[in-house]
C-alpha cells in the first residue's frame, strides 16, 4: 500500500499545526487548574476564557453564552435534557427530524421511553431537506423544543435552519441545532439562524478530540447535565480541558479564516468526484442534493454491492472512507438517513460517503476516480444479483 487517501473528514480530522502550537504550552508549562486561586491556575483560567471569547466571536455569540463540553454528543444530550427539565411546566413535546445524529435521536428515544418527552419526527424530502412548514405544522401548545441539525453528517444536506429559527422564534419555542458538521465549514452565525442552542465539536474542524461546546442564548440558563465541582458557572462540572479549549479556538479561527477559499476549492473537487463517479460507475446515484451540500461531502449508493465490502476493499487500496456515519458503521442495519430519504433497504446497504478536507489534493480525487470504479466493478463481478440495468 503506497499511500493513504483520507476521505473521511466528516468522521474526524487531523489536529492542525496551529491548534497544536496553541495547545502545547497548556499541556507542558501552563498546566495549572483554572479553578485554583494562585496565579499559575489563573493563567490557565485566562487561556480558557480567551478561548471562549474567540469561539464566541466566530459564532457571532457572546463569551458567556459558550459552555465547554466533551464534544458534540454531550452538547446534544445537554441541550435536549436541559430544555426538557427547564421547561417541564410548559410541556414536554419536542420536534426533531428523522435524519438527526444518534446523539439527538437516541437521547430523545431514551427520554420518551421513560415518559419524559413526546417526540414528533418530521420527515425529509428525497434530498434530505426538512420542510420548515412541516415543522410549523408540528407545533403544539406543549412544544418546548425544536431540534434540527444544521448539516447532515451522512449525505451532507444543509438544512434551512434560518427559516426554522424564524418559525421557532415566532412561536416562542426554543430552537437547538446540532451544527457539528457545519461549524468551520459553512458560515454559522447564531443570530442569523435565530438559534437558542447550538452544538459544536472540535475534532470536526482540525481541533482536538474530546472537546466541544454548547452555545446557550442569554438569558436562558440550562440546568446541568453533569454535577460536581461547579465549573462552567455551575452548569457543567469537571476540571476544564484548557488545552482542548485553546486548541479548538485556534482551529476554529483558522477554519473560519480560510472558509471561503477552502470551501470553493473543496466544492470544485467534490463536484469533480461526483461527476466522475456517476459517469464511470453504472447504477450509481448521489445521495443528498447537488447544491446546498457541505463543501467536502460526496455520498453515493451503488446497486448490488454492500457498503461494508466497498470499505474493506477501499481500505486495502489505502482509501479511508465511510458508509453512513462513522459511529454507526459498525452496525449492519442500513442508515436511518438513507431510509428516510426514501431509499429501499437493499439500495441503502450499498452506501459510500467520501468526505474531502484540508489535506485532499486533486491527485487524491484522480486516484479515487480510478480506485472506486474498479472496486465496485470487482465486487459486482462476484455478485449473482448484478446486472447492468
Ligand atoms: N452530531 C453530528 C452531526 C455528528 O456528525 C457527530 C459526530 O460524528 C456528533 C454529533 C457527535 O460529535 P462528537 O464526536 O464530538 O461527540
Amino acid at each position: 500500500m503506497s499511500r493513504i487517501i483520507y476521505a473521511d473528514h466528516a468522521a474526524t480530522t487531523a489536529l492542525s499545526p496551529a491548534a497544536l502550537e496553541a495547545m502545547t504550552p497548556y499541556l507542558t508549562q501552563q498546566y495549572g487548574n483554572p479553578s485554583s486561586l494562585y496565579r499559575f491556575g489563573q493563567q490557565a483560567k485566562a487561556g480558557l476564557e480567551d478561548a471562549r471569547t474567540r469561539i464566541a466571536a466566530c459564532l457571532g455569540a457572546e463569551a458567556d453564552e459558550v459552555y465547554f463540553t466533551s464534544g458534540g454528543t454531550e452538547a446534544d444530550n445537554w441541550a435536549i435534557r436541559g430544555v426538557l427539565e427547564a421547561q417541564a411546566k410548559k410541556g414536554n413535546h419536542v420536534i426533531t427530524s428523522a435524519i438527526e445524529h444518534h446523539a439527538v435521536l437516541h437521547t430523545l428515544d431514551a427520554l420518551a421511553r421513560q415518559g419524559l418527552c413526546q417526540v414528533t419526527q418530521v420527515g425529509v424530502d428525497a434530498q434530505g431537506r426538512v420542510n420548515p412548514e412541516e415543522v410549523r405544522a408540528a407545533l403544539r401548545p406543549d412544544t418546548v423544543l425544536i431540534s434540527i441539525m444544521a448539516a447532515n453528517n451522512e449525505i451532507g444536506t444543509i438544512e434551512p435552519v434560518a427559516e426554522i429559527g424564524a418559525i421557532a422564534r415566532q412561536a416562542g419555542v426554543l430552537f437547538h441545532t446540532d451544527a457539528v458538521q457545519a461549524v468551520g465549514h459553512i458560515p454559522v452565525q447564531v443570530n442569523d439562524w435565530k438559534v437558542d442552542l447550538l452544538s459544536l465539536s472540535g475534532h470536526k474542524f482540525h481541533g482536538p478530540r474530546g472537546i466541544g461546546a454548547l452555545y446557550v442564548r442569554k438569558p436562558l440558563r440550562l440546568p446541568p447535565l453533569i454535577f460536581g465541582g461547579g465549573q462552567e458557572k455551575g452548569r457543567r462540572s469537571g476540571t476544564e480541558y484548557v488545552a482542548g479549549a485553546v486548541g479548538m479556538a485556534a482551529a476554529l479561527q483558522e477554519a473560519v479564516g480560510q472558509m471561503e477559499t477552502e470551501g470553493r476549492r473543496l466544492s470544485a473537487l467534490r463536484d469533480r468526484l461526483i461527476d466522475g463517479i456517476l459517469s464511470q460507475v453504472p447504477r450509481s446515484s448521489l445521495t443528498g442534493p447537488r447544491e446546498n451540500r457541505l463543501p467536502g461531502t460526496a455520498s453515493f449508493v451503488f446497486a448490488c454491492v454492500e457498503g461494508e465490502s466497498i470499505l474493506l476493499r477501499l481500505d486495502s487500496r489505502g482509501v479511508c472512507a465511510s458508509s453512513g456515519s462513522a459511529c454507526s458503521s459498525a452496525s449492519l442495519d442500513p442508515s436511518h438517513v438513507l431510509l428516510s430519504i426514501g431509499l429501499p433497504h437493499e439500495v441503502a446497504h450499498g452506501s459510500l460517503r467520501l468526505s474531502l478536507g484540508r489535506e485532499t489534493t486533486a491527485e487524491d480525487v484522480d486516484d479515487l476516480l480510478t480506485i472506486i470504479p474498479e472496486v465496485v466493478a470487482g465486487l459486482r463481478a462476484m455478485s449473482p444479483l448484478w446486472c447492468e440495468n
Side-chain angles (χ1 to χ4, degrees):
M1 189 167 79
S2 48
R3 69 184 187 103
I4 291 283
I5 302 177
Y6 187 73
D8 207 11
H9 289 80
T12 199
T13 56
L15 187 66
S16 84
L20 177 62
E21 194 183 318
M23 291 172 77
T24 303
Y26 293 95
L27 293 166
T28 52
Q29 296 127 25
Q30 291 170 352
Y31 52 82
N33 185 325
S35 299
S36 303
L37 289 181
Y38 42 77
R39 235 178 322 149
F40 191 54
Q42 290 308 299
Q43 281 163 2
K45 170 102 179 139
L48 183 74
E49 294 314 318
D50 179 57
R52 198 187 309 278
T53 303
R54 291 192 288 137
I55 288 165
C58 290
L59 303 172
E62 290 178 33
D64 56 358
E65 296 176 313
V66 172
Y67 295 83
F68 292 113
T69 65
S70 62
T73 301
E74 184 189 328
D76 286 346
N77 272 260
W78 186 20
I80 292 166
R81 288 182 178 266
V83 168
L84 280 165
E85 189 180 330
Q87 305 243 319
K89 281 206 181 88
K90 180 183 172 194
N92 68 3
H93 177 238
V94 179
I95 301 170
T96 191
S97 86
I99 63 162
E100 298 299 307
H101 190 271
H102 285 143
V104 167
L105 292 181
H106 287 176
T107 301
L108 288 169
D109 285 349
L111 289 163
R113 271 199 306 276
Q114 294 169 59
L116 297 174
C117 75
Q118 303 169 63
V119 182
T120 300
Q121 266 187 21
V122 295
V124 292
D125 68 13
Q127 263 73 50
R129 191 174 186 275
V130 171
N131 178 351
E133 287 313 314
E134 275 187 46
V135 175
R136 193 198 298 279
L139 285 165
R140 305 191 328 206
D142 61 343
T143 305
V144 291
L145 180 67
I146 297 170
S147 181
I148 305 279
M149 68 198 328
N152 184 265
N153 46 303
E154 292 186 37
I155 58 175
T157 309
I158 297 174
E159 299 297 340
V161 260
E163 288 167 73
I164 298 167
I167 290 168
R169 185 67 60 87
Q170 195 188 25
V173 170
L174 294 172
F175 177 36
H176 165 245
T177 191
D178 173 343
V180 166
Q181 292 290 340
V183 169
H185 301 282
I186 59 171
V188 173
Q189 289 289 303
V190 291
N191 291 328
D192 292 352
W193 284 0
K194 295 189 171 59
V195 289
D196 300 294
L197 301 129
L198 179 144
S199 307
L200 62 128
S201 175
H203 73 106
K204 304 292 187 179
F205 48 81
H206 299 276
R209 268 177 288 260
I211 183 93
L214 181 66
Y215 157 80
V216 184
R217 182 182 294 279
K218 284 191 294 194
L220 177 63
R221 279 171 71 78
L222 282 194
L225 178 71
I226 294 178
F227 295 85
Q231 290 87 349
E232 298 289 286
K233 292 178 277 157
R235 305 283 120 188
R236 199 281 186 181
S237 289
T239 302
E240 300 91 336
Y241 178 18
V242 179
V246 168
M248 180 163 75
L252 183 54
Q253 280 191 308
E254 190 181 30
V256 169
Q258 60 186 52
M259 188 182 288
E260 227 182 283
T261 42
E262 185 62 1
R264 262 199 304 274
R265 186 186 79 88
L266 281 179
S267 302
L269 289 178
R270 174 204 67 193
D271 289 344
R272 187 156 72 79
L273 183 61
I274 292 174
D275 292 335
I277 296 282
L278 295 180
S279 65
Q280 290 178 50
V281 183
R283 297 185 64 194
S284 60
S285 349
L286 181 70
T287 52
R290 262 326 279 241
E291 309 290 327
N292 264 327
R293 65 187 296 135
L294 288 171
T297 304
S299 50
F300 305 91
V301 282
F302 304 109
C304 303
V305 274
E306 292 284 326
E308 283 70 23
S309 319
I310 304 177
L311 292 189
L312 293 175
R313 292 259 174 133
L314 287 179
D315 182 35
S316 73
R317 307 219 21 202
V319 176
C320 307
S322 158
S323 80
S325 67
C327 338
S328 61
S329 55
S331 116
L332 289 178
D333 291 337
S335 132
H336 65 290
V337 176
L338 299 181
L339 296 180
S340 297
I341 61 172
L343 296 181
H345 271 243
E346 65 280 9
V347 176
H349 270 298
S351 64
L352 177 69
R353 176 188 72 184
L354 302 162
S355 45
L356 314 181
R358 202 172 289 169
E359 297 82 12
T360 310
T361 62
E363 192 194 347
D364 289 341
V365 172
D366 292 339
D367 288 353
L368 288 170
L369 286 174
T370 305
I371 295 169
I372 292 167
E374 285 175 8
V375 162
V376 175
L379 288 167
R380 282 174 170 169
M382 302 185 317
S383 165
L385 298 174
W386 170 242
C387 62
E388 280 277 346
N389 33 64

